[in-house]
Amino acid sequence: MASQELMDERDSTTDNLSPGMEGGALPNSGKNCPVHTPGAEDAKRGFRKGIGRHNDYVKISVPESKVSRLPMEWWKTAVAFFYATFNLVLTTVVITVVHERVPPKESIPPLPDKFFDYIDRVKWAFTVTEVNGMLLVAIWTVQLFFFRYKSIASRRFFFMVGTLYLYRCVTMYITTLPVPGMHMTCAPKLHGDSQAKMQRIFQLMSGGGLSITGSHLMCGDFLYSGHTVMLTLTYLFIKEYSPRSFWWYHLMCWLLSAVGVVCILVAHEHYSVDVVVAYFVTSRLFWWYHTMANLQTLKCSPNNYLTNTWWNPVFNFFERNVQTSVPCSYSWPITWPPACLKNPCKKYSMVQSTREE
């Protein structure tokens, strides 16, 4: 009699279950949460036993996806190169325009600078700066030549160079500072001679904007320092795309960069604020960009406030198909002999050899 009552209670409980619980879901919840079913586990266990009993099964290899997580996309690199070239040319134009507005040093002397109060000028220091800058650019070029993912790294480098010099055009144009030292000799003003201004632009571009080449004779391009930009940016890229164990290599490049930046101030070629602002803007742009590029969750996160930057659409254009961080992988860029010169007759399959026999 007691057993009959228990059976009746069990049947009534089953009838009171909601329809959502019949499929293995928890009651009173908006989501269908799966519940453990012993039948599925028994089926898996039986499948494993069957495989263990019959070892003559065929293993089918599933090919990996042909979509590369690090596509080269050289056409995007070309776009970044033209972007950097355009802004470099624009910089030379802005320097030529700003040069006409620089006040004479006889009427408006250099602004007070705390670094200049304690350190006297050294004439050859700026030559050290430009030599170190050329060495770092050469080192980065050689490293990039052997880097496996050179398209992605160079694309990022060109974008940052173009963006930093675009910023420099804005700061130079809106605020014209007097010369930082009485030793500076500025080219005479042209006062509306457009043809002579064009000649100065081509002269500046042909010499790479360097003083040691004799191409940079204009004043006004002080805020912020372009030399500091290149010294800092090349070092950051060299360190980012080289193995972490190469500490001696990083230290050597850091010394070249640091000595070059200090020599700018020792030569009294820029105000201290020019160097500080250049380092701050360069390093932050580099770190922001690579943080967004290396952390895939930030690309689609609604809480990523870095997406409010004006260059975020450009970033999405360049990095849309880069789905992981770029590894420090190197290879010989030229294969020899080329594939077109190899003899295809030496390679044949087992099917061909069987047919010949």
Side-chain angles (χ1 to χ4, degrees), residues 143 235 238-256:
Q143 179 178 328
Y235 163 70
I238 288 171
K239 183 180 179 182
E240 178 68 21
Y241 296 100
S242 59
R244 298 293 182 262
S245 59
F246 285 14
W247 61 268
W248 52 269
Y249 179 57
H250 301 156
L251 179 61
M252 179 191 69
C253 294
W254 180 85
L255 288 174
L256 287 174

Side-chain angles (χ1 to χ4, degrees), residues 22 42 47 54 65 95 101 121 129 186 228 255 308 315 351:
E22 293 177 1
D42 295 340
F47 181 70
H54 304 282
S65 176
I95 291 175
R101 301 188 328 201
R121 176 177 176 263
T129 294
C186 301
T228 305
L255 288 174
N308 295 325
F315 169 84
V351 177

Side-chain angles (χ1 to χ4, degrees), residues 21 31 81 125 196 252 317 338:
M21 294 180 61
K31 298 181 180 180
F81 174 77
M252 179 191 69
F317 169 73

Side-chain angles (χ1 to χ4, degrees), residues 35-269:
V35 179
H36 173 72
T37 54
E41 292 295 333
D42 295 340
K44 291 181 182 178
R45 194 177 298 110
F47 181 70
R48 295 194 193 100
K49 290 182 179 179
I51 292 179
R53 191 178 302 112
H54 304 282
N55 295 326
D56 55 344
Y57 59 89
V58 179
K59 182 179 179 181
I60 302 175
S61 59
V62 180
E64 298 180 356
S65 176
K66 295 183 179 180
V67 179
S68 175
R69 301 183 67 188
L70 294 169
M72 293 294 103
E73 297 180 312
W74 281 101
W75 68 275
K76 290 185 179 180
T77 306
V79 172
F81 174 77
F82 285 115
Y83 170 74
T85 303
F86 174 80
N87 286 320
L88 289 172
V89 173
L90 180 63
T91 301
T92 60
V93 175
V94 173
I95 291 175
T96 306
V97 173
V98 171
H99 174 76
E100 302 294 321
R101 301 188 328 201
V102 177
K105 58 184 177 181
E106 293 80 13
S107 58
I108 299 180
L111 300 175
D113 191 288
K114 207 63 180 176
F115 188 90
F116 299 164
D117 295 340
Y118 295 101
I119 305 297
D120 294 331
R121 176 177 176 263
V122 179
K123 295 182 179 179
W124 47 264
F126 200 61
T127 303
V128 175
T129 294
E130 296 191 335
V131 170
N132 286 9
M134 289 188 293
L135 284 175
L136 285 172
V137 171
I139 292 172
W140 167 238
T141 303
V142 173
Q143 179 178 328
L144 190 63
F145 181 73
F146 292 99
F147 191 59
R148 184 182 298 273
Y149 304 101
K150 57 177 66 67
S151 174
I152 300 175
S154 57
R155 182 191 315 157
R156 295 173 178 177
F157 181 76
F158 291 144
F159 169 75
M160 293 188 194
V161 168
T163 302
L164 290 168
Y165 274 85
L166 179 62
Y167 288 163
R168 190 166 180 251
C169 291
V170 175
T171 55
M172 283 190 303
Y173 186 78
I174 61 178
T175 302
T176 303
L177 299 177
V179 294
M182 298 298 293
H183 65 280
M184 300 192 71
T185 302
C186 301
K189 294 180 172 58
L190 300 176
H191 301 291
D193 190 348
S194 301
Q195 184 176 358
K197 289 181 180 180
M198 290 298 297
Q199 292 178 354
R200 282 186 176 177
I201 292 173
F202 287 119
Q203 180 183 2
L204 187 60
M205 288 190 297
S206 63
L210 300 176
S211 298
I212 58 177
T213 59
S215 61
H216 199 344
L217 299 175
M218 291 179 287
C219 301
D221 57 331
F222 301 123
L223 187 65
Y224 47 84
S225 170
H227 288 77
T228 305
V229 166
M230 295 306 300
L231 288 166
T232 305
L233 191 65
T234 49
Y235 163 70
L236 291 174
F237 268 92
I238 288 171
K239 183 180 179 182
E240 178 68 21
Y241 296 100
S242 59
R244 298 293 182 262
S245 59
F246 285 14
W247 61 268
W248 52 269
Y249 179 57
H250 301 156
L251 179 61
M252 179 191 69
C253 294
W254 180 85
L255 288 174
L256 287 174
S257 176
V259 170
V261 171
V262 172
C263 284
I264 295 175
L265 298 175
V266 174
H268 292 196
E269 292 290 331

Side-chain angles (χ1 to χ4, degrees), residues 1-16:
M1 188 69 180
S3 59
Q4 182 65 30
E5 292 177 356
L6 289 175
M7 291 295 296
D8 295 338
E9 290 178 0
R10 184 179 301 174
D11 294 339
S12 61
T13 305
T14 305
D15 295 336
N16 293 332

